[in-house]
Amino acid sequence: MIQIENLSKTFTLHNQGSAVIPVIRGAELQVAPGECIALTGASGAGKSTLMRMIYGNYLAASGRIMVGDVDVVAADPRAILTLRRYTLGYVSQFLRVVPRVATRDVVAEPLLATGSDLVAARARAEALLARLNIPQRLWSLSPTTFSGGEQQRVNIARGFAYGYPALLLDEPTASLDAQNRDTVLQMIEEAKARGAAIIGIFHDEAARARLCDREVDVTGFSPEQAA
Amino acid sequence: MKDMSPIDRPLLQVAGLSKYYGARIGCEAVGFELWPGEVMGIVGESGSGKTTLLNCLAGQLAPDAGQVLFDLDGIATDTVTMSEPERRRLARTDWAFVHQHAADGLRMNVSAGGNVGERLMAIGARRYGDIRTQALDWLGRVEISGDRIDDRPTAFSGGMRQRLQIARNLVTGPRLVFMDEPTGGLDVSVQARLLDLMRGLVREMGLSAIIVTHDLAVVRLLADRLMVMKDGQVVETGLTDQVLDDPQHGYTQLLVSSVLQV
C-alpha cells in the first residue's frame, strides 16, 4: 500500500547563508495492507520528517513515495488533496481547526468531505467521541479550549472517522491516561484488521510491541550514516 | 441533492497574465489552473501585486498581456477579450467579488434585504415575495437576524457588513468567488466566525474561490493551494500546508518565519 524508494530530503535555509541541510538519504520502506510498522530512532533522527513527506506536507529532494497508485513526490496538489481525502489519513500531534467549529463537526468533517450525509456523519462522530470519553456536554463546543489530552482524542476521532486505507499516526497515545490509551490501541488494531496500512511513531514501547509487525529505525536513513 | 460528481475540467485557466503601471510591474507572467471546488490563496506583502492580479482575473482591470479562460458550459472562454457587456453579465451570474471594505461591495443607503435582492433582480428575479424570501434565507445563512432585513448596512457592525456582502454575492449561486482580504480589519473573534461561515458555504455550494490575503492563518484554514507573490512575480506555488511548513523560496521562508507565534 505504501512503498518508499531511494527517498532523500534536504532543507535549504535561504535566509541563513543558504545553508543546505541534508536530513534523509536513501530511505526505503514498504507497508502492506493490514500491516503496522513503527518508525524508531532518537529525537531529531527524522521520524516526523519522513511521515510528513509521505503526507505531502514536506517536499522530497528525490525518490518515490507510492501510496496506492499515487507517487506523492511527483503528484500535483490536486492529486494529493484527493489522496488525502480518500486514501491517506494523518493523525498529527496537534489539532489544528477553524475556531468556533463544534467538536462534533470537526470530527465529522472527513466524512462530509467524502460524501456522507450530515446525519450519518454526525452520528459516527458522536459514537467516536463517546468511545474516546469526550463528555457529551463538550461536543457542541469548539475543541480549541480543551485540555491537551482531550484535543488529542478529538484529533484521533477525526483521524479514524473515515476508513482510510493508509494511516499515519504521530504519537497517538502520548498524553493519554491508561483507559483512553487502551481504547486508542484497540482502534488501531481494528484499523489493521480491516486492512489499513499503518505507519506510526510510538514512544510507548508497550504500544509498539502490541501493534507493530516491524520496526524501522530511521537512523539508517540519515545522510551521515549513509555516507 | 447536490451533484457530487466532479467536473473533469478546470474552471479557470490563466496564462501569461501581466499588468504594468508604466515601467513598474503590477504582476507579470502569472499562470495557473483552478478546478471546481478548489480554494486558492494568494499571499504576499503589500505591493506584491496580489490585488492587481485579482482585479485582472475578475475583469475589473484590463491586463496588458495574457489569457484568463473561464469554463462556460465546457467552452474555455477568454474573459480578457470578451465584450464589456458579456463580462458584466458574467460578473452578475457566475462570479462574485467580496471586497475588503464592505462599503465597496454594498449599497450603504439600501436596506439589507434590498442589497441581497438587488443581485437577484439583476439576473431577472421579479416577484417581490420570492426575492424577500430568498433574501431572508440568505440573511439567516450568514447569521444576520431576519428582523434586521429592513435596516441599512450603515447601522451594521463591520463583521455584519462583511457577512451581508457575502450574502449579496452568493445569493445568485456563482461558481467562482474572488475575495480581497475578506477578514481584513475585523476583530479576531469576528474573523473566526467569518472563516467558519466561508468554509461551510464553499463546501455546501461546491464553490471555487480565489482569496487574496496577507494573513497566513486565514489561508491555512481556507485555501487548498497557495500562490506566493513578490514584486509582481509568483515565487512559489503548492499545497497550502506544504508551502507554509516546507517553504522552498527564500521570500516564503522569510514570510513564514516572520509570523508571530500565538
Side-chain angles (χ1 to χ4, degrees):
Chain A
M1 185 66 208
I2 301 173
Q3 182 152 356
I4 297 175
E5 292 165 23
N6 199 21
L7 185 70
S8 65
K9 169 73 187 163
T10 54
F11 288 108
T12 305
L13 308 177
H14 292 285
N15 301 302
Q16 294 173 47
S18 291
V20 177
I21 304 169
V23 288
I24 289 178
R25 187 187 294 169
E28 306 272 339
L29 186 67
Q30 284 90 33
V31 190
E35 195 177 26
C36 177
I37 75 118
L39 299 181
T40 61
S43 184
K47 300 185 293 293
S48 291
T49 297
L50 182 58
M51 196 170 263
R52 283 165 167 251
M53 289 170 78
I54 300 169
Y55 198 58
N57 179 233
Y58 282 2
L59 289 182
S62 63
R64 262 157 57 101
I65 305 172
M66 298 302 297
V67 179
D69 54 5
V70 176
D71 180 3
V72 175
V73 174
D76 63 16
R78 226 164 71 84
I80 292 181
L81 288 170
T82 306
L83 185 78
R84 289 178 179 183
R85 190 170 304 141
Y86 294 101
T87 310
L88 182 62
Y90 175 38
V91 177
S92 66
Q93 289 191 69
F94 305 101
L95 181 66
R96 194 174 244 145
V97 294
V98 181
R100 243 183 53 110
V101 177
T103 295
R104 178 195 288 120
D105 293 334
V106 166
V107 175
E109 201 190 12
L111 292 167
L112 296 176
T114 46
S116 290
D117 74 78
L118 188 63
V119 176
R122 282 195 171 151
R124 165 95 177 128
E126 289 177 357
L128 280 162
L129 289 168
R131 188 171 178 195
L132 287 160
N133 290 314
I134 303 290
Q136 190 168 355
R137 62 190 156 77
L138 299 182
W139 296 354
S140 58
L141 306 178
S142 162
T144 42
T145 55
F146 291 5
S147 74
E150 283 166 344
Q151 289 200 3
Q152 193 179 13
R153 279 177 279 146
V154 171
N155 213 10
I156 288 165
R158 180 181 160 90
F160 281 82
Y162 176 78
Y164 300 104
L167 266 176
L168 306 171
L169 308 174
D170 194 349
E171 291 281 6
T173 57
S175 48
L176 302 182
D177 59 43
Q179 192 202 341
N180 285 316
R181 172 181 168 278
D182 191 60
T183 305
V184 171
L185 295 184
Q186 271 177 33
M187 287 169 63
I188 299 171
E189 284 169 336
E190 287 163 16
K192 274 184 74 177
R194 67 165 168 79
I198 301 171
I199 297 178
I201 299 171
F202 306 92
H203 283 138
D204 177 347
E205 265 181 56
R208 221 154 58 208
R210 175 169 158 186
L211 294 171
C212 298
D213 303 295
R214 280 183 294 133
E215 293 188 3
V216 174
D217 188 345
V218 300
T219 315
F221 306 146
S222 87
E224 294 88 43
Q225 203 74 23
Chain B
M1 260 333 274
K2 73 181 161 177
D3 184 12
M4 290 293 288
S5 64
I7 299 168
D8 220 19
R9 53 177 188 266
L11 183 67
L12 197 67
Q13 300 171 70
V14 179
L17 199 66
S18 304
K19 172 72 186 175
Y20 302 94
Y21 299 104
R24 203 163 53 79
I25 296 170
C27 62
E28 191 168 55
V30 178
F32 66 91
E33 285 183 351
L34 186 75
W35 291 69
E38 255 184 348
V39 178
M40 190 175 80
I42 304 176
V43 297
E45 59 201 15
S46 303
S48 60
K50 54 192 197 300
T51 298
T52 294
L53 173 60
L54 190 74
N55 285 329
C56 287
L57 294 172
Q60 307 216 337
L61 197 60
D64 294 310
Q67 288 183 321
V68 179
L69 304 180
F70 183 73
D71 178 75
L72 283 174
D73 297 322
I75 300 162
T77 312
D78 194 346
T79 65
V80 174
T81 54
M82 70 172 42
S83 72
E84 185 60 27
E86 277 182 294
R87 197 157 44 231
R88 284 192 186 180
R89 199 183 59 79
L90 215 51
R92 281 199 304 268
T93 54
D94 291 55
W95 295 349
F97 199 109
V98 176
H99 295 265
Q100 175 177 6
H101 303 290
D104 296 336
L106 292 172
R107 300 233 300 186
M108 297 303 282
N109 53 355
V110 170
S111 72
N115 263 287
V116 179
E118 191 180 47
R119 274 272 295 197
L120 284 171
M121 294 198 301
I123 59 162
R126 285 294 171 263
R127 284 195 48 207
Y128 175 79
D130 291 349
I131 292 170
R132 194 168 170 93
T133 308
Q134 279 213 55
L136 260 177
D137 173 48
W138 266 95
L139 290 180
R141 289 170 81 162
V142 298
E143 303 172 26
I144 293 174
S145 158
D147 59 19
R148 304 295 302 268
I149 189 168
D150 295 318
D151 292 352
R152 292 177 184 184
T154 43
F156 287 2
S157 68
M160 277 176 79
R161 286 183 192 181
Q162 203 55 302
R163 279 180 276 132
L164 179 61
Q165 194 192 179
I166 287 173
R168 173 180 162 96
N169 270 284
L170 298 191
V171 67
T172 51
R175 292 190 289 152
L176 176 58
V177 185
F178 302 98
M179 297 191 189
D180 188 8
E181 301 278 4
T183 60
L186 300 176
D187 290 340
V188 280
S189 60
V190 178
Q191 279 192 23
R193 189 171 181 187
L194 200 66
L195 282 176
D196 173 26
L197 176 73
M198 291 193 296
R199 250 168 75 114
L201 292 173
V202 164
R203 189 180 58 210
E204 283 163 31
M205 301 176 71
L207 292 176
S208 304
I210 298 177
I211 300 176
V212 160
T213 181
H214 64 271
D215 190 335
L216 299 182
V218 167
V219 286
R220 188 184 279 278
L221 294 175
L222 271 183
D224 304 308
R225 282 163 52 205
L226 210 54
M227 197 152 89
V228 183
M229 291 190 73
K230 182 184 188 328
D231 302 331
Q233 314 267 355
V234 175
V235 297
E236 184 163 356
T237 63
L239 215 55
T240 300
D241 61 281
Q242 181 263 304
V243 172
L244 295 180
D245 294 338
D246 188 17
Q248 304 295 304
H249 191 277
Y251 175 69
T252 319
Q253 292 183 352
L254 194 64
L255 205 62
V256 170
S257 65
S258 304
V259 177
L260 298 173
Q261 301 286 323
V262 182

